[in-house]
Amino acid sequence: MSIAESVKCLGLVQAFHYLDKDPEKNLPKLMEWIDRFSKKDVYPEQRRAIRQIISDENNNWYQLIHSLYTDIDSEVRKTLFENFVLNATLLGSQKIKASKQKYDCNVPWAILMDPTSACNLHCTGCWAAEYGDKLNMSFETLSSIVEQAKELGIHMFLYSGGEPLVRKKDILELCKKHPDCVFTAFTNGTLIDEEFAEAMLDVKNFVPAISVEGFEKETDFRRGEGTFSKVVCAMKILKEKKLPFGISCCYTKKNYDVIGSEAYFDQMIQWGAKFCWFFTYMPVGKEAVPELMATAEQREYMYHQIRNFRKTKPLLTIDFWNDGEYINGCIAGGRNYLHINANGDIEPCAFIHYSNSNIHKDSLLDALHSPLFMEYRKNQPFNENHLRPCPLLDNPGRLTAMVESSEAHSTDLEAPEDVRNLSDKCVASAQNWAPLADELWEKTHPCAECVKCDKKII
């Protein structure tokens, strides 16, 4: 770390400690200092927006920020601030940028990895349910991935599976061994108990994202009878311990109206969640149920609902597909993230089960230079309309071309899936979504000719 970076980090840490003493009183003062010492042209719109938020206690973002001080353990909050804001975002992003230039390849901000294929549930339409407990990465392999990633500037790690908390002990040990990183997990939540919550308080750098499919009827439909009550119990424990957590929602044709309802958003906030990831159902694997895929109209409904509630609800929301407009399209292939399955196969995305590399024989850097990852880098973005970001779900033929050109193989050990067959399951969805997505895009992103003729986009 350079002297300038060290000074900057020290200043941010001191500012955080100052803010932590009395956030309501000191946040406005902190903004005054930032305005006084910043140049006028440095993020003026963002600073103006922040000032508006912190001056209105009825603002939903003010309420969310305030809740981080009232609802979260102070030591956990401090650790996550330093690891997420400093290590993963500010310093990490600078090192990642340098790594991209040095190695001439994509370098992700986050890595998603599966410690195990084992799961204590058998959810409808889930590819992970096919593998059982056959696949596991050792603690040494998982730790090696983290070490290699940190060399490139990456400090953000997510677990999926299987059910990652089947490996509770190893996950906690990784948190301890790498205290400068943020770890989170997409978990069904049923294995979170008092003992594990106490361990989370000890390590301070683990944040679960609990999968909930709606209320009891919708959740138990996909995950099995009694799952919802166990999940609610887990969230109650986390809330009482003042531990941060989020929710992961997969919307389908069966539950989209519940997932997108105001009642459900209010319930997530009442449970104590601080963020929510939204995913749409993908027909991946032999157990896939294409009939569960949301229609184009249902996807548009979610697009509007999530954006509307961002203006009114104290909950940070991330829409994995429909937020492509904010990050210039697809984030996979190492552009912002990649996936390593429990067999060690290094894949461009959690939903794209094809690879040229395996962590047991290839380094992380080797994988980023592999033919499939380089195809992603060459072809991104896959559409100028970033509401159609995905090479599988939104742009028929794009994934097929990359997989075949790179000679990547299917990583599904139970039933290897030909990429053409997988793509065929998404063609109708892509064709139906395209006109709606194009209409939504044109309303907020006028084309060059519209700008030239000063055409108003309503």
Side-chain angles (χ1 to χ4, degrees):
M1 186 186 300
S2 68
I3 294 176
E5 289 174 335
S6 298
V7 171
K8 185 184 294 184
C9 289
L10 179 60
L12 284 169
V13 171
Q14 289 178 334
F16 173 79
H17 291 327
Y18 173 76
L19 184 60
D20 216 34
K21 294 176 181 177
D22 189 342
E24 286 190 79
K25 177 182 177 182
N26 293 338
L27 186 55
K29 288 184 178 180
L30 198 58
M31 280 306 302
E32 288 178 11
W33 294 345
I34 292 172
D35 287 337
R36 187 181 305 165
F37 294 108
S38 298
K39 295 180 180 179
K40 291 183 178 180
D41 60 347
V42 176
Y43 301 118
E45 294 299 323
Q46 291 87 338
R47 289 182 0 226
R48 187 178 300 114
I50 292 173
R51 284 196 300 273
Q52 290 176 348
I53 289 170
I54 63 177
S55 64
D56 179 9
E57 63 182 27
N58 294 316
N59 182 283
N60 61 305
W61 293 107
Y62 175 97
Q63 294 169 357
L64 178 59
I65 292 170
H66 184 67
S67 74
L68 300 180
Y69 290 90
T70 58
D71 300 352
I72 306 300
D73 176 84
S74 61
E75 291 301 312
V76 171
R77 183 173 61 247
K78 174 186 174 183
T79 299
L80 291 175
F81 169 83
E82 293 181 358
N83 288 358
F84 183 83
V85 177
L86 296 181
N87 299 338
T89 304
L90 295 179
L91 298 179
S93 294
Q94 292 176 20
K95 191 170 182 179
I96 287 169
K97 183 179 179 181
S99 296
K100 289 179 180 179
Q101 294 174 343
K102 179 179 180 180
Y103 298 111
D104 193 27
C105 63
N106 281 340
V107 177
W109 179 74
I111 291 179
L112 174 66
M113 51 187 175
D114 302 347
T116 180
S117 63
C119 186
N120 59 324
L121 300 180
H122 194 103
C123 303
T124 301
C126 176
W127 68 78
E130 301 169 20
Y131 299 135
D133 59 358
K134 298 177 183 177
L135 306 175
N136 292 280
M137 283 195 284
S138 69
F139 175 86
E140 290 73 23
T141 298
L142 294 167
S143 186
S144 173
I145 293 170
V146 177
E147 292 286 3
Q148 292 179 60
K150 288 198 289 186
E151 286 296 316
L152 297 172
I154 305 162
H155 286 78
M156 186 74 194
F157 301 92
L158 305 93
Y159 298 114
S160 57
E163 168 50 51
L165 293 191
V166 168
R167 298 279 299 279
K168 282 182 184 182
K169 181 179 178 181
D170 285 336
I171 284 177
L172 291 170
E173 195 59 35
L174 283 165
C175 291
K176 292 178 182 178
K177 187 171 182 178
H178 303 283
D180 55 342
C181 296
V182 177
F183 296 93
T184 187
F186 294 106
T187 170
N188 62 46
T190 60
L191 299 179
I192 294 174
D193 52 20
E194 292 273 351
E195 182 181 1
F196 185 70
E198 287 293 336
M200 284 175 60
L201 280 171
D202 180 45
V203 297
K204 302 177 181 63
N205 58 344
F206 179 76
V207 182
I210 300 173
S211 298
V212 194
E213 308 298 328
F215 295 106
E216 185 171 17
K217 176 183 175 182
E218 296 79 24
T219 298
D220 286 0
F221 167 77
R222 269 203 82 193
R223 300 185 176 274
E225 186 176 353
T227 302
F228 181 78
S229 62
K230 294 177 182 177
V231 170
V232 170
C233 180
M235 292 189 288
K236 182 180 179 182
I237 291 171
L238 295 174
K239 185 177 181 180
E240 289 175 348
K241 300 285 185 182
K242 290 198 165 188
L243 285 161
F245 69 91
I247 287 175
S248 171
C249 293
C250 177
Y251 62 90
T252 71
K253 186 180 292 185
K254 293 283 188 180
N255 71 352
Y256 79 96
D257 53 340
V258 173
I259 292 290
S261 69
E262 184 170 16
Y264 186 66
F265 271 72
D266 289 340
Q267 182 62 73
M268 288 192 288
I269 294 165
Q270 184 175 335
W271 280 329
K274 300 305 176 188
F275 63 90
C276 181
W277 290 83
F278 290 92
F279 300 89
T280 192
Y281 179 73
M282 294 287 281
V284 177
K286 71 175 185 178
E287 297 294 329
V289 184
E291 294 77 21
L292 281 177
M293 294 178 70
T295 67
E297 292 74 20
Q298 291 166 352
R299 182 170 169 180
E300 182 185 17
Y301 169 83
M302 292 301 300
Y303 169 93
H304 290 300
Q305 291 297 95
I306 292 171
R307 278 160 180 72
N308 288 338
F309 291 136
R310 277 181 184 156
K311 301 173 185 176
T312 60
K313 305 296 181 183
L315 182 73
L316 175 65
T317 53
I318 306 104
D319 189 339
F320 193 74
W321 272 269
N322 290 339
D323 279 346
E325 64 176 300
Y326 302 122
I327 45 178
N328 298 321
C330 173
I331 65 172
R335 180 171 167 259
N336 289 100
Y337 102 111
L338 58 78
H339 178 239
I340 306 176
N341 70 18
N343 191 49
D345 299 307
I346 306 169
E347 304 166 338
C349 177
F351 302 100
I352 306 298
H353 296 178
Y354 301 91
S355 180
N356 300 115
S357 51
N358 187 286
I359 200 66
H360 298 302
K361 62 182 180 66
D362 304 299
S363 70
L364 188 57
L365 194 55
D366 288 338
L368 292 168
H369 282 110
S370 69
L372 182 56
F373 276 75
M374 294 305 285
E375 281 291 314
Y376 261 77
R377 186 173 189 244
K378 181 173 70 176
N379 284 280
Q380 288 167 323
F382 299 106
N383 199 306
E384 291 184 4
N385 180 348
H386 297 321
L387 293 176
R388 298 167 60 190
C390 182
L392 172 60
L393 185 64
D394 301 321
N395 298 281
R398 298 302 297 272
L399 178 66
T400 300
M402 291 192 297
V403 168
E404 292 182 347
S405 175
S406 64
E407 299 184 345
H409 66 274
S410 171
T411 57
D412 190 316
L413 300 182
E414 289 293 303
E417 188 166 22
D418 185 275
V419 67
R420 291 177 178 264
N421 294 336
L422 172 63
S423 296
D424 285 347
K425 290 187 283 188
C426 298
V427 168
S429 178
Q431 291 174 341
N432 293 334
W433 173 242
L436 293 179
D438 288 347
E439 183 179 351
L440 290 169
W441 186 256
E442 289 167 7
K443 286 181 179 179
T444 54
H445 299 77
C447 66
E449 287 301 312
C450 292
V451 173
K452 185 177 179 181
C453 68
D454 198 30
K455 180 180 178 181
K456 302 298 182 183
I457 303 297
I458 301 174

